[in-house]
C-alpha cells in the first residue's frame, strides 16, 4: 500500500521541477488522481502520456482565480474529492540587489513576483478551501530557504517567500481543526526555475548555469550537494498523508542540506 492510496491532489507549477517530482511521487504512492495547473505544460508531456487516466493538466496562470477554480473542479469531478492542495508555482529574481532597482522596476517586480508567489497561493487556498474542509484534507505550500534566511534570493523573492511562511501559519490557525496547512522549504535545487519578466529575466533559467549553481550550493551547505527535485518529494508525501502527519499543522519542513547548522 502506498501512503496516498485513494487520495486526490491539485498541484500548481507542476509541469516541471519540484512540482512535477511531487506529482509523479504522489502517483507512485497510490494517489487516485493528480491535477496539475501550470502556464507551460510542455515539460509534462511524457508524464501525461505515461499516466493518461490519473494525471490531468490544466493550462493556466496562478494569478487568475478562475484557473484555480477550474483545476479544483476537475479534481472533484474526475476523482470524487480533493484531499491535497500543493501551492508550488513560483518565479525567481536571480538575487537582484536593492541598488539595481529604479522605483519603476521595483514596483513592477513586486507586482509580478508577489502576484505569482503569494497571490497565486492565496487564490489556490481560496478555491480549494471548501473541498478540503469536506475531505478534512491538507494544504502544502513550497516556500524556500529564502523563506527563513537571507541570501537565497534578492530582496523581492526573499520577501515573497517569507510572506508564504506567514500565510501558512495564519491559514493553519484559521482552518484548524478541519484542514492542516504546512510548507516545505527546499534549498538550492537543480531545476529550470525562471526569473521575473519585469526584470527582463523571463527566459533566464537556473538550468542555464547548472554546473556553476551545483558547485555554489554544494560548497555552501553542510551536506555538500545541490538538491534534485526528487529529494524533496517525500516531505510532500508525508505532509499529505493523514495517517502519518495528522498532528502536524502550521509547520515548514526544511529540505536544504543543513543550512541551519552551518558553522559561524
Ligand atoms: N530551484 C530552487 O533552487 C528552489 C529553491 C527553493 C524553493 N523553490 C521554489 O520551488 C517552486 C518550484 O520551482 P522549481 O525550482 O521547481 O522551478 P520550475 O521552473 O521547474 O517550476 C516552476 C513551475 O511553475 C510554473 N509557473 C511559473 N509561473 C507560473 C504562473 N504564473 N502560473 C502557472 N504556473 C507558473 C512554471 O511554468 C514551472 O513549471 C517555486 O515556488 C520556487 O520558488 C525553488
Amino acid at each position: 500500500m502506498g501512503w496516498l492510496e485513494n487520495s486526490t491532489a491539485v498541484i500548481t507549477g507542476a509541469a516541471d521541477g519540484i512540482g512535477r517530482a511531487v506529482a509523479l511521487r504522489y502517483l507512485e504512492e497510490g494517489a487516485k488522481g493528480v491535477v496539475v495547473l501550470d502556464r507551460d505544460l510542455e515539460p509534462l508531456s511524457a508524464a501525461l502520456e505515461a499516466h493518461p487516466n490519473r494525471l490531468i493538466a490544466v493550462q493556466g496562470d496562478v494569478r487568475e482565480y478562475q484557473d484555480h477554480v477550474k483545476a479544483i473542479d476537475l479534481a472533484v469531478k474526475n476523482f470524487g474529492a480533493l484531499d491535497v492542495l500543493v501551492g508550488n508555482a513560483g518565479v525567481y529574481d536571480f538575487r537582484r540587489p536593492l541598488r539595481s532597482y529604479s522605483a519603476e522596476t521595483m514596483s513592477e517586480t513586486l507586482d509580478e513576483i508577489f502576484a505569482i508567489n503569494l497571490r497565486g497561493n492565496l487564490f489556490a487556498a481560496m478555491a480549494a478551501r471548501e473541498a478540503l474542509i469536506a475531505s478534512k484534507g491538507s494544504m502544502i505550500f513550497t516556500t524556500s530557504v529564502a523563506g527563513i534566511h537571507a541570501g537565497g534570493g534578492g530582496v523581492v523573492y526573499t520577501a515573497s517567500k517569507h510572506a508564504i511562511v506567514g500565510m501558512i501559519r495564519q491559514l493553519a490557525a484559521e482552518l484548524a481543526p478541519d484542514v492542516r496547512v504546512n510548507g516545505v522549504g527546499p534549498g538550492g535545487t537543480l531545476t529550470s526555475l525562471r526569473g521575473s519578466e519585469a526584470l527582463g529575466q523571463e527566459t533566464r533559467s537556473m538550468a542555464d548555469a547548472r554546473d556553476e549553481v551545483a558547485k555554489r550550493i554544494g560548497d555552501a551547505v553542510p551536506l555538500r550537494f545541490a538538491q534534485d527535485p526528487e529529494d524533496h518529494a517525500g516531505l510532500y508525501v508525508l505532509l499529505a498523508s493523514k495517517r502519518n502527519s495528522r498532528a502536524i499543522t502550521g509547520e515548514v519542513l526544511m529540505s536544504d542540506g543543513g543550512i541551519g547548522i552551518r558553522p559561524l
Side-chain angles (χ1 to χ4, degrees):
M1 281 278 280
W3 277 23
L4 300 179
E5 292 291 332
N6 287 324
S7 294
T8 67
V10 168
I11 312 180
T12 69
D16 205 356
I18 296 168
R20 184 177 62 193
V22 173
L24 293 175
R25 184 68 191 278
Y26 276 14
L27 294 176
E28 240 179 86
E29 293 293 338
K32 197 196 287 182
V34 174
V35 176
V36 169
L37 170 62
D38 201 297
R39 65 180 172 185
D40 174 13
L41 295 177
E42 206 280 321
L44 194 66
S45 36
L48 285 168
E49 264 179 46
H51 303 280
N53 301 319
R54 292 196 296 149
L55 190 59
I56 296 177
V58 178
Q59 201 263 322
D61 192 313
V62 292
R63 288 170 284 192
E64 302 295 330
Y65 180 68
Q66 283 310 325
D67 290 348
H68 294 282
V69 171
K70 195 170 159 194
I72 306 291
D73 281 355
L74 270 172
V76 173
K77 279 189 191 121
N78 283 276
F79 306 122
L82 178 72
D83 299 292
V84 188
L85 166 71
V86 179
N88 167 78
V91 288
Y92 196 40
D93 63 2
F94 286 97
R95 300 165 174 240
R96 183 66 65 113
L98 188 68
R99 64 176 178 275
S100 71
Y101 281 97
S102 66
E104 195 186 357
T105 53
M106 175 56 84
S107 192
E108 289 169 4
T109 308
L110 264 180
D111 285 352
E112 181 194 4
I113 293 187
F114 270 71
I116 296 174
N117 293 9
L118 184 65
R119 191 175 91 207
N121 283 327
L122 282 166
F123 275 176
M126 287 166 63
R129 189 185 62 91
E130 273 187 25
L132 290 176
I133 289 174
S135 67
K136 304 276 187 248
S138 82
M139 300 182 183
I140 304 163
F141 296 98
T142 302
T143 168
S144 169
V145 280
I148 57 167
H149 298 290
V155 66
V156 175
Y157 180 79
T158 300
S160 78
K161 290 294 178 179
H162 274 64
I164 295 174
V165 175
M167 179 195 76
I168 289 168
R169 295 207 173 109
Q170 184 59 35
L171 289 182
E174 272 189 45
L175 296 176
D178 297 316
V179 179
R180 296 181 300 111
V181 184
N182 292 293
V184 174
T189 306
L190 300 172
T191 69
S192 302
L193 182 62
R194 298 204 172 261
S196 148
E197 207 178 317
L199 293 173
Q201 302 170 333
E202 67 274 22
T203 56
R204 185 169 167 192
S205 150
M206 281 205 5
D208 298 342
R210 194 182 156 96
D211 292 347
E212 184 203 316
V213 170
K215 179 163 179 356
R216 182 166 44 80
I217 298 166
D219 287 347
V221 303
L223 290 182
R224 292 280 175 263
F225 67 92
Q227 290 104 69
D228 288 315
E230 293 73 18
D231 291 325
H232 312 300
L235 287 179
Y236 292 83
V237 173
L238 174 74
L239 291 173
S241 163
K242 288 177 191 166
R243 177 161 167 230
N244 294 292
S245 63
R246 79 178 185 112
I248 304 179
T249 197
E251 295 292 338
V252 175
L253 304 184
M254 300 308 292
S255 179
D256 60 8
I259 297 267
I261 50 139
R262 271 188 302 192
L264 291 176

